[in-house]
Amino acid sequence: MLSMMDEPLVTIGMPVRNGGDQIRVAIDSLLSQTHRNLRLIISDNCSTDDTVAICEAYAREDSRVTVVRQPENLGICGNFRFVLMQAESPYFMWACHDDVWAPEFVRKNLANLTANPAAVASTSRVIMALPEGPQELSNGTFALRGDQRERLARFFWDPGEVSRFYGVFRTEALKRSFPADIDVFGYDWIVMALNLLEGEHLELPEVLLTREAHTEDHYHRTLVRNQPKALYRWLPHLPMTQVLRHRLPPEVWRACRGAIMRRNAIQMLMYAKYRLPLMAPVVRTLAQLERARTRSGNSSAHPL
């Protein structure tokens, strides 16, 4: 286990591979947090660019930074889990190499958790930004309160970009939410679902994080590249659904299985649009109908 003389209140885990073009801005914004009592663990997943050299330069200048060079590629899910499991602090957050945090992000989310003992996670509103493109608010940070069934059912009805994954968490509850055997498409949804069994998720009303958005077909191109089974390409959330059926308490599964099946149908249509461009007009029409039917309160339709 990694150690330091004065264990911080917050550990920030940054899994990265080939992030040299953008990582300086991300690290600078993390080390400039007004909450200073933190540790940044960077886990390099066999980068082939100058990522390691950049990160090690920061580590030499700031004792709060630790760089771990993985001897073999852990995969995305494995690297995210690795940095979490190194944390010994009461609170933890993940950080991507291409995101930027306002200086008050950590302090305000910590204060939110301190004031709400029933909560296990807090995040701010989030801006999603495409390089040289438009910016829009993430629809994946809304608060999730109530009992377990209410929290899970609302989450799966419209998880959005799951930007809540990048909030501040109570460490031990998050570790219990990240089993070692869930490396499937949608693993971040699984982790958030299991974390919602632990307690409530909170949202600050202000924007304190800017995330780099991906193009519409990014995840499906990744799926084609990494998934050899055609069935799981057309039903990308089927493995996720199988994990959830096994992991969720029966009464919680019954409460949210309809929303989970709906997510499977939406993802199948998104993949069909990607693989069969002639399907795009049909999918867009269905998306418009879906948005008109479900847009109310804090919820918004999943973008097809």
Side-chain angles (χ1 to χ4, degrees):
M1 181 68 68
L2 301 170
S3 62
M4 63 187 304
M5 291 182 64
D6 298 317
E7 190 61 35
L9 188 63
V10 181
T11 298
I12 303 173
M14 178 180 283
V16 64
R17 175 177 166 82
N18 292 339
D21 289 344
Q22 298 165 291
I23 199 167
R24 288 185 178 89
V25 174
I27 294 176
D28 286 341
S29 73
L30 292 170
L31 297 181
S32 298
Q33 291 294 303
T34 56
H35 177 88
R36 305 290 296 169
N37 185 17
L38 56 82
R39 183 187 188 194
L40 173 59
I41 301 176
I42 303 170
S43 175
D44 182 77
N45 213 12
C46 303
S47 290
T48 57
D49 64 358
D50 58 352
T51 296
V52 171
I54 293 170
C55 296
E56 289 181 341
Y58 276 95
R60 288 191 293 271
E61 295 295 324
D62 194 321
S63 62
R64 296 177 297 168
V65 180
T66 299
V67 181
V68 179
R69 301 179 67 172
Q70 298 298 340
E72 58 185 39
N73 194 320
L74 300 178
I76 297 173
C77 178
N79 210 18
F80 269 87
R81 188 175 187 276
F82 173 84
V83 290
L84 168 62
M85 294 304 163
Q86 308 313 300
E88 296 178 340
S89 56
Y91 299 95
F92 176 88
M93 59 178 273
W94 280 296
C96 288
H97 74 275
D98 50 6
D99 293 345
V100 181
W101 297 260
E104 295 293 311
F105 180 88
V106 173
R107 186 186 68 80
K108 289 188 174 182
N109 280 297
L110 280 177
N112 206 18
L113 285 172
T114 301
N116 293 275
V120 294
S122 173
T123 189
S124 70
R125 300 300 302 275
V126 174
I127 286 288
M128 305 296 296
L130 281 168
E132 302 178 1
Q135 297 185 352
E136 59 183 26
L137 278 173
S138 168
N139 61 352
T141 63
F142 53 90
L144 290 166
R145 312 191 84 156
D147 64 27
Q148 288 180 334
R149 290 173 297 179
E150 292 169 332
R151 296 194 297 262
L152 269 291
R154 187 168 177 228
F155 170 66
F156 279 113
W157 185 258
D158 182 25
E161 303 93 353
V162 203
S163 290
R164 69 184 65 250
F165 194 79
Y166 298 98
V168 176
F169 294 84
R170 300 189 193 275
T171 303
E172 292 307 313
L174 187 58
K175 286 183 176 181
R176 291 191 295 269
S177 307
F178 205 144
D181 58 348
I182 60 166
D183 191 359
V184 298
F185 184 75
Y187 75 89
D188 50 345
W189 292 15
I190 297 172
V191 174
M192 292 299 93
L194 297 181
N195 194 245
L196 284 164
L197 295 177
E198 300 275 346
E200 298 177 341
H201 284 193
L202 308 176
E203 180 195 55
L204 295 171
E206 58 216 291
V207 175
L208 298 174
L209 169 60
T210 299
R211 295 183 58 205
E212 181 172 298
H214 294 291
T215 56
E216 190 175 56
D217 64 352
H218 167 81
Y219 294 105
H220 293 291
R221 287 189 285 107
T222 302
L223 185 69
V224 170
R225 186 167 63 248
N226 297 334
Q227 179 53 260
K229 295 183 178 180
L231 174 63
Y232 292 154
R233 294 180 188 174
W234 285 100
L235 294 172
H237 276 331
L238 180 57
M240 180 195 77
T241 302
Q242 293 166 334
V243 171
L244 291 168
R245 177 68 182 89
H246 173 68
R247 296 276 181 181
L248 296 180
E251 67 277 9
V252 176
W253 167 256
R254 288 192 294 270
C256 63
R257 62 186 172 189
I260 293 172
M261 297 308 170
R262 176 174 172 271
R263 298 255 61 84
N264 275 265
I266 288 171
Q267 288 294 328
M268 182 177 66
L269 287 171
M270 292 175 69
Y271 184 68
K273 184 178 71 169
Y274 166 62
R275 296 293 285 177
L276 304 171
L278 292 176
M279 284 284 294
V282 175
V283 175
R284 279 196 293 270
T285 299
L286 291 173
Q288 291 167 359
L289 293 173
E290 172 72 358
R291 291 189 185 100
R293 188 171 71 88
T294 64
R295 182 172 291 160
S296 63
N298 290 329
S299 64
S300 57
H302 190 88
L304 290 177

